[in-house]
């Protein structure tokens, strides 16, 4: 596939140019994925991941009935390899026409110039969306991705164990919630815990860190701001849950089976996303009593990071019109509501939440409220590497190597190193 003139030789203000991408990615090019249309039929290749790739073909017969001049081939990618494969395909000039991408990948794909901004005719797709997700998908003032499904993390909790400790529902502030956890701990004893916070996952600490007013990066996203008072407070709260034996000092790999341990009451609170609803319904014993609830914050209901996936059309596609038609179809509220029934993925369009199957599920209502309070994470291509470093330092803090203050300074140091190229490029542009 050929690159458009606007993409050739340009990678965006802060991303990799084509030569850099080729130098960093020493993988073989993928097979060409947009064959020349024949017999008046446009053939689209659509990359999707995981459960979505398995189920999206069930939605396509109606699209193809409406669009007999378009054929769609869905190619499934495993989530574990999808990010690298997209970058490899960009470097090898072999991207598909369109793809599902994780929302945290959008800024990176935009920075290297891989994706087409939404054309004017498609901007109506951005109505009826959750603001934080739209913010994530807007780069330099232009929308570059269309939300497909959304998720965020909140609390799954044992209603019976909380009630036995004298509480009807999780508190909305850190102080009150921690007091509830202490009440549960007194009841369950020293061999059990109250909350599971796997040390090899960054999402829980990031959720706590999003509660502050200070941004996580400063100076136009070129330096860390983790030494801000609000993030240090988040680190201190996070650390205290381990220090007070409310959370086990363990990684996810050390937990033999989350469902079994939740069912037997080894912990009562668990941070996770909407995919866990289906897992719990299938795997927990029927007598296990559980519910979902929003994230507590320092002074009231807290924020969380917007997740999920969006649809992007690649600049290199020769089938732009047909690709945008497919994006439009998959964005229809009725189609998104059906997709929720197939996969459990939460609809990106708020109006789709009025569909009976979505509106009648009591486990989903807290997710809608949490998504309304979501806060976009920094839109820099290095973000996933930054939160990995944050998680590494936080684990060492929990194990006693750092205080919250020295951990914050170390996260800033590592972040500044990762953002060095970004600073250089902005300084050069200035």
């Amino acid at each position: 596939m050929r690159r458009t003139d606007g993409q050739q030789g340009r990678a965006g203000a802060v991303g990799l140019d084509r030569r850099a991408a080729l130098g960093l990615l020493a993988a073989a090019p993928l097979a060409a994925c947009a064959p020349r249309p024949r017999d008046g039929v446009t053939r689209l290749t659509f990359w999707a991941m995981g459960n979505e790739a398995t189920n999206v073909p069930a939605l396509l017969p109606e699209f193809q009935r409406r669009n007999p001049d378009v054929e769609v081939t869905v190619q499934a990618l495993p989530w574990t390899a999808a990010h690298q494969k997209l970058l490899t395909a960009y470097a090898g000039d072999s991207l598909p026409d369109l793809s599902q991408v994780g929302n945290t990948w959008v800024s990176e794909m935009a920075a290297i110039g891989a994706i087409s901004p939404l054309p004017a005719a498609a901007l109506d797709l951005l109505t009826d969306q959750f603001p934080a997700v739209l913010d994530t998908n807007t780069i330099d003032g232009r929308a570059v991705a269309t939300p497909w499904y959304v998720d965020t993390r909140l609390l799954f909790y044992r209603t019976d164990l909380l009630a036995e400790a004298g509480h009807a529902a999780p508190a909305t502030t850190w102080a009150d919630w921690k007091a509830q956890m202490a009440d549960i701990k007194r009841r369950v004893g020293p061999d059990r815990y109250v909350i599971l916070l796997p040390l090899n996952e960054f999402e829980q600490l990031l959720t706590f860190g999003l509660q502050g007013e200070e941004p996580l990066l400063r100076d136009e996203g070129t330096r860390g701001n983790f030494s801000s008072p609000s993030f240090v407070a988040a680190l201190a709260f996070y650390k205290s849950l381990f220090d007070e034996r409310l959370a086990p000092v363990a990684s996810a790999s050390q937990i033999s089976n989350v469902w079994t341990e939740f069912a037997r009451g080894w912990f009562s609170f668990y941070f996770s996303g909407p995919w866990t609803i289906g897992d719990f319904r299938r795997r927990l014993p029927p007598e296990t009593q559980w519910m979902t609830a929003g994230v507590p914050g320092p002074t009231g209901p807290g924020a969380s990071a917007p997740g999920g996936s969006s649809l992007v059309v690649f600049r290199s596609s020769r089938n732009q019109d047909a690709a945008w038609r497919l994006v439009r179809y998959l964005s229809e509220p009725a189609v998104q509501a059906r997709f929720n029934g197939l996969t459990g993925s939460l609809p990106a369009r708020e109006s789709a939440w009025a569909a009976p199957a979505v509106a009648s599920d009591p486990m989903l209502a807290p997710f809608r409220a949490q998504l309304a309070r979501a806060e976009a994470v920094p839109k820099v291509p290095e973000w996933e590497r930054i939160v990995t470093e944050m998680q590494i330092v936080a684990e060492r803090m929990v194990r006693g190597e750092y205080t919250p203050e020295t951990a914050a300074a170390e996260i800033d140091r590592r972040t500044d190193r990762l953002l060095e190229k970004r600073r250089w490029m902005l300084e050069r542009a200035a």
Side-chain angles (χ1 to χ4, degrees), residues 39 76 81 100 152 183 203 237-238 242 278 280 362 377 396 402:
D39 305 323
Q100 169 190 2
T152 192
D183 290 342
E203 289 87 355
F237 179 74
Y238 178 78
F242 297 94
F280 276 13
V377 299
R396 291 166 65 178
Y402 295 110

Side-chain angles (χ1 to χ4, degrees), residues 334-381:
V335 176
Q336 292 199 345
R338 186 182 172 206
F339 199 46
N340 167 259
L342 292 170
T343 65
S345 299
L346 302 181
R349 301 291 290 271
E350 290 200 67
S351 57
W353 289 69
V358 181
S360 63
D361 190 336
M363 299 296 177
L364 295 184
F367 278 97
R368 186 173 189 180
Q370 191 66 56
L371 283 161
R373 297 194 301 273
E375 295 284 345
V377 299
K379 292 177 283 189
V380 297

Side-chain angles (χ1 to χ4, degrees), residues 222-246:
T222 63
R223 293 189 181 278
N225 196 36
F226 295 96
S227 294
S228 66
S230 63
F231 195 82
V232 171
L235 284 167
F237 179 74
Y238 178 78
K239 184 174 185 296
S240 73
L241 299 178
F242 297 94
D243 292 346
E244 296 171 30
R245 294 187 57 78
L246 300 174

Side-chain angles (χ1 to χ4, degrees), residues 255-334:
I255 310 301
S256 59
N257 185 302
V258 168
W259 308 287
T260 299
E261 300 301 344
F262 186 75
R264 76 181 184 91
W266 193 63
F267 58 89
S268 304
F269 290 100
Y270 180 52
F271 271 101
S272 195
W275 56 89
T276 297
I277 294 175
D279 287 341
F280 276 13
R281 283 174 170 161
R282 288 189 300 271
R283 299 172 184 269
L284 292 180
E287 63 272 17
T288 306
Q289 300 174 41
W290 60 281
M291 185 59 190
T292 57
V295 174
T299 60
S304 58
S309 288
S310 293
L311 300 171
V312 299
V313 175
F314 292 109
R315 288 182 184 266
S316 52
S317 171
R318 293 176 290 179
N319 303 313
Q320 296 281 320
D321 174 71
W324 285 111
R325 276 191 272 165
L326 180 56
V327 171
R328 177 172 293 280
Y329 170 76
L330 294 174
S331 299
E332 291 180 8

